[in-house]
Amino acid sequence: MDNSRIGEAALVRLLEGWCTDSRESLHRQLAAALTALISSGELPPGTVLPSERSLATALAVSRGTLVTAYTTLRSLGLVDSRQGSGTRVRGVPQPGVAVPSARLVSFTAKVGQQQVDLSSGALPGQDWVADVVGSVGPDELRSWVRGHGYHPAGLPPLREALARQCTADGLPTQPEQVLVTSGSQQALQLVAGALIAPGDEVLVEDPTYRGALEAFRDRGARLRTIPLREDGLDAEVLVRLLRSRRPRLLYLLPAVHNPVGVTLRPAAAKAVAEAVADTGTTLLEDLSTVDTLFSGPPPTPMASLVPEAPVLTIGSLSKLFWGGIRIGWVRSTAQAVRQLVSHRSSADLGSSVPSQLAALRLLDYVPRARRVRARELRTGYLWITELLAAHLPDWSWVVPDGGASLWVRLPGGNAVALAESARRGGVLITPGPAFSAIDGQTDRVRLSYAVGPDTVRAGVERLAVVWRRRRLRT
Ligand SMILES: Cc1ncc(COP(=O)(O)O)c(C=O)c1O
């Protein structure tokens, strides 16, 4: 994809909350929001904006609104438009400045009081997690405080406990094979930084976890996609791609895929693992979401199917306990871990010691926490599907094995435009292209069901109103 071009889906994400004032005309509000993005550098010089038609559709406004807003930007000298090359932000492009993806808007944007938020898949922690975290007392901390506090590979007892947990989950692991990170997002970024050089090919599923796309793009990777079918990954197609393309890295979400929610079936996992071993491809398996399974034990990690192959497995405490604990890990060979540690040092000297001590305590509660999560998420899933069947009977979805959100297929229509109309109708949802390296998944939306039954009900009811209104208009 051309890095200087921003797609309509990404621009709509950046424009989050652009029309808030019902007394002001839409074109003025849009011109003001685009002006702010250009002035702040979020839309860097040289960025090619989407065509008027495609952005109007995605924003669910008339083409006239877009024409007027772009004309305003031109008159302010912020963009110029040339026949055939589109509308471009004026100024000299700076090398290495990429257009941002606005992934974290759901954490930073203000959700209006009247708005219902079904857009974030992040799970709140439960009250007992606060008790366990708070039970790390001064006596325990004191012995660590007397030391220097820098543990770039992780606190030794936590590495040991994580190694035991990996082993219990079917992946025999020694402590020196574990690197503790500040969340698995940092794990992704470290792996990307250590392994990917600009121009390297990275194979990802379509759709996939957005944070991984960002980490790979930041390294200048060329992203190639393999479609994720509704019944999971097509192992045969993947195996063929691995043999023909020999990518630098294969990134997979084999256990409770984010956003789709499916888990790779054992036979497919075996076929893919064997192809990885055969072709010598480095596999990055992201197991951050495995603890959101609705039932049963976690599937066998792919790393244990091919112990000799170059596999990095990443995990996280965010889904099981709380994202705010900011503890994740990479499990690989001891040598790979050393390499990642040396890579880490330019950005970070190790994760927070108090957080690691809390994580150590939390690990005693894994079986109980998994049972609680499974029950709560399964209930949420059954509830949202009941509501959808009643209010939006022509919508369908992939039956997930776990997760905190539903991957919904719309019966036609444009998911980005629907999400925009939904925002104005008082409900926030995430459109499919946010999860696609190629801005695909245009007829999909992700709906979170981890936000409590009343919020989910209000969200679905509002979506039904928005959907009916859009249907009447088309
Ligand atoms: C698949 C996947 N990987 C990694 C992460 C990052 O999680 P954290 O950095 O909180 O551990 C997430 C968070 O949503 C995720 O869904």
Side-chain angles (χ1 to χ4, degrees):
M1 207 186 286
D2 177 356
N3 280 342
S4 65
R5 202 170 271 282
I6 185 164
E8 58 274 11
L11 184 51
V12 171
R13 281 200 296 286
L14 278 179
L15 282 167
E16 154 98 28
W18 66 276
C19 76
T20 45
D21 186 349
S22 53
R23 289 156 309 171
E24 185 60 283
S25 67
L26 286 175
H27 69 82
R28 280 220 185 89
Q29 292 187 70
L30 183 56
L34 286 166
T35 302
L37 288 175
I38 294 169
S39 314
S40 67
E42 285 171 274
L43 283 176
T47 305
V48 180
L49 303 180
S51 70
E52 287 155 352
R53 186 196 308 269
S54 65
L55 189 55
T57 307
L59 286 171
V61 296
S62 73
R63 177 127 184 245
T65 299
L66 248 292
V67 171
T68 316
Y70 275 13
T71 305
T72 306
L73 296 182
R74 262 191 305 275
S75 69
L76 292 170
L78 295 171
V79 300
D80 38 41
S81 307
R82 263 178 239 135
Q83 194 72 36
S85 63
T87 302
R88 188 181 286 267
V89 178
R90 281 184 74 176
V92 182
Q94 310 269 309
V97 176
V99 175
S101 77
R103 177 170 67 96
L104 299 181
V105 286
S106 52
F107 299 140
T108 53
K110 278 205 203 91
V111 177
Q113 272 190 344
Q114 307 306 322
Q115 276 176 330
V116 171
D117 188 0
L118 303 186
S119 71
S120 169
L123 287 159
Q126 292 180 336
D127 283 355
W128 63 270
V129 171
D131 297 335
V132 177
V133 172
S135 72
V136 178
D139 290 342
E140 188 174 355
L141 265 172
R142 207 165 287 125
S143 62
W144 292 101
V145 166
R146 288 191 186 123
H148 51 59
Y150 295 107
H151 302 275
L155 224 50
L158 181 58
R159 295 177 83 193
E160 282 162 28
L162 287 171
R164 279 197 300 278
Q165 188 60 52
C166 289
T167 306
D169 286 339
L171 179 57
T173 302
Q174 297 298 320
E176 60 276 15
Q177 291 179 272
V178 176
L179 166 66
V180 179
T181 57
S182 303
S184 58
Q185 183 64 40
Q186 187 188 39
L188 280 168
Q189 187 243 341
L190 285 175
V191 172
L195 296 190
I196 301 170
D200 278 351
E201 191 162 291
V202 174
L203 191 54
V204 297
E205 295 157 288
D206 187 43
T208 191
Y209 170 54
R210 309 190 264 172
L213 295 179
E214 271 181 331
F216 302 148
R217 282 200 176 115
D218 272 1
R219 292 295 301 162
R222 273 182 304 128
L223 297 175
R224 179 169 284 266
T225 55
I226 166 159
L228 181 71
R229 296 185 320 199
E230 304 215 332
D231 57 348
L233 202 60
D234 186 332
E236 268 178 45
V237 174
L238 177 56
V239 168
R240 267 204 308 278
L241 266 175
L242 287 184
R243 292 197 202 290
S244 63
R245 306 289 318 177
R246 305 266 164 170
R248 176 71 189 101
L249 190 70
L250 166 66
Y251 172 70
L252 293 182
L253 295 152
V256 190
H257 185 283
N258 179 1
V260 183
V262 291
T263 290
L264 198 55
R265 302 290 163 237
K270 188 163 176 286
V272 172
E274 282 166 0
V276 162
D278 247 30
T279 51
T281 313
T282 301
L283 167 66
L284 176 55
E285 63 168 339
D286 186 345
L287 302 185
S288 304
T289 41
V290 67
D291 292 317
T292 63
L293 263 179
F294 292 158
S295 63
T300 310
M302 291 172 75
S304 77
L305 302 176
V306 280
E308 303 306 320
V311 182
L312 299 112
T313 305
I314 67 178
S316 171
L317 295 189
S318 292
K319 306 291 174 189
L320 191 55
F321 298 112
W322 182 43
I325 195 81
R326 302 310 306 133
I327 294 293
W329 60 91
V330 184
R331 183 272 181 203
S332 191
T333 60
Q335 192 194 350
V337 164
R338 281 196 299 276
Q339 196 190 342
L340 292 172
V341 169
S342 77
H343 195 80
R344 175 184 209 163
S345 60
S346 66
D348 169 29
L349 302 178
S351 301
S352 142
V353 173
S355 267
Q356 293 188 75
L357 291 173
L360 192 52
R361 294 219 167 181
L362 286 169
L363 283 173
D364 288 338
Y365 296 84
V366 167
R368 166 184 161 177
R370 280 182 178 161
R371 275 196 307 276
V372 174
R373 272 290 187 238
R375 204 178 325 123
E376 127 201 321
L377 290 173
R378 208 173 34 231
T379 307
Y381 158 68
L382 291 174
W383 178 231
I384 198 169
T385 51
E386 200 178 298
L387 289 167
L388 286 173
H391 293 280
L392 288 153
D394 50 351
W395 287 19
S396 55
W397 51 86
V398 178
V399 176
D401 297 305
S405 46
L406 198 67
W407 188 239
V408 171
R409 189 188 318 105
L410 306 170
N414 175 322
V416 176
L418 173 67
E420 270 304 291
S421 303
R423 175 189 310 284
R424 277 174 245 150
V427 52
L428 308 181
I429 59 175
T430 313
F435 305 92
S436 171
I438 47 174
D439 275 348
Q441 311 294 328
T442 51
D443 62 345
R444 307 290 162 127
V445 293
R446 190 185 76 170
L447 306 181
S448 169
Y449 48 76
V451 284
D454 295 342
T455 309
V456 172
R457 178 202 286 279
V460 171
E461 285 173 355
R462 287 179 190 191
L463 275 176
V465 172
V466 171
W467 181 250
R468 270 198 299 275
R469 240 189 254 140
R470 285 182 62 82
R471 276 281 137 123
L472 286 178
R473 259 191 272 126
T474 50

